[in-house]
Each structure stands twice: as C-alpha cells, then as structure tokens.
Amino acid sequence: MRYFSYIFALLAGAALSFEGAIYGELGETVGELETTFYNFAVGSLIMGILWVFFGKGKLSYTVEAPKWTLLGGVLGIAYLLAIVISVPFVGVGITMVSVIIGQMLMSLVIEHFGWLGSKTAKINKQKVFAAISMIIALILIK
C-alpha cells in the first residue's frame, strides 16, 4: 500500500501541473478570480454528486470540528489563485517547483514541531540538504 501511495501522489502532482497550465491559460481568457471560482464551482458540483452516492461521513459534524480544521477551503482557494496568477508570468515548471519547495519547507516545519496533529519528525541534515537541493533546482530551472 505504501508504494501505491507514492505512485498516487506522483500522479496527483502530474495532474496539478496540467491543472496549472490549463487554468493559467483560462485565467488569461476569463480572469484569475473567475477561473478560481469556476474551478471550485465545478469541483463542488462533482463532489456533491459523489457525496450523495458514496459519502459515508457526517457532513453535519462540520460545526463540531475544531475551527482551525476548516481553513482548508480558504487555503485551497489561495493555492489555486496563486497558480492561476503565476503560470502566465513564470510558466508551469517554475510555478510547480516553487509550490513543491513551499510545500516541502512548510511540511518540514509542521512535522518538526508536530503542529496540526501531525506526527513529529525532527529536521535533520538530510532534510536540510534536500531542501537546499530543491532551492538550487529552482535557481537552475529558471
């Protein structure tokens, strides 16, 4: 199951690159905010249909969840809007590498301190080297 998760995550990353390219172009045509709205409107419609037929949780429990756990929707909008704005200016490659570096750096900090309910995984030399390597890759890919 672990290797399946790796492959699934790699495919999700590849899909995000396609999404970035597609929405970067759409943003140039219809506007950045309109593109972001379109993404979430269509996504909400599709997820609503999937939820009706396959949902097993209790959406009504959302009001009982810790309020900080509800920030995911806001962060998703900020993420997509940043991609829609960035891709036309710097391209898909630099945008996605920048996103990955941002994700990696914040993931290191979150796991190091065990924030947001995550398991603690201390920052070590290998992780610092990996982060520096990614930053160098961003510089070289320009």
Side-chain angles (χ1 to χ4, degrees):
M1 186 65 177
R2 179 181 208 143
Y3 295 111
F4 175 75
S5 296
Y6 292 155
I7 292 169
F8 191 65
L10 286 170
L11 292 173
L16 285 176
S17 291
F18 275 108
E19 180 185 41
I22 290 166
Y23 284 141
E25 185 64 27
L26 185 61
E28 291 280 294
T29 305
V30 302
E32 291 97 0
L33 294 176
E34 293 77 6
T35 297
T36 304
F37 176 78
Y38 169 80
N39 172 276
F40 284 97
V42 171
S44 294
L45 180 65
I46 292 169
M47 287 309 304
I49 292 168
L50 292 173
W51 170 62
V52 166
F53 290 104
F54 303 107
K56 294 184 173 135
K58 302 267 191 233
L59 190 59
S60 61
Y61 288 176
T62 303
V63 295
E64 297 176 22
K67 299 306 174 223
W68 65 267
T69 62
L70 303 178
L71 287 173
V74 174
L75 295 174
I77 290 169
Y79 163 78
L80 183 61
L81 184 58
I83 287 176
V84 170
I85 291 170
S86 297
V87 166
F89 291 103
V90 297
V92 177
I94 291 174
T95 299
M96 289 302 146
V97 171
S98 299
V99 165
I100 291 167
I101 291 170
Q103 288 175 334
M104 184 176 63
L105 293 175
M106 188 49 65
S107 296
L108 290 173
V109 172
I110 289 169
E111 288 182 346
H112 181 77
F113 293 106
W115 291 346
L116 307 173
S118 69
K119 291 182 181 179
T120 301
K122 296 296 181 190
I123 295 175
N124 58 31
K125 291 178 191 174
Q126 291 87 353
K127 292 178 181 180
V128 171
F129 180 73
I132 291 169
S133 297
M134 290 294 292
I135 293 168
I136 292 169
L138 177 62
I139 293 166
L140 293 175
I141 202 168
K142 290 191 337 182

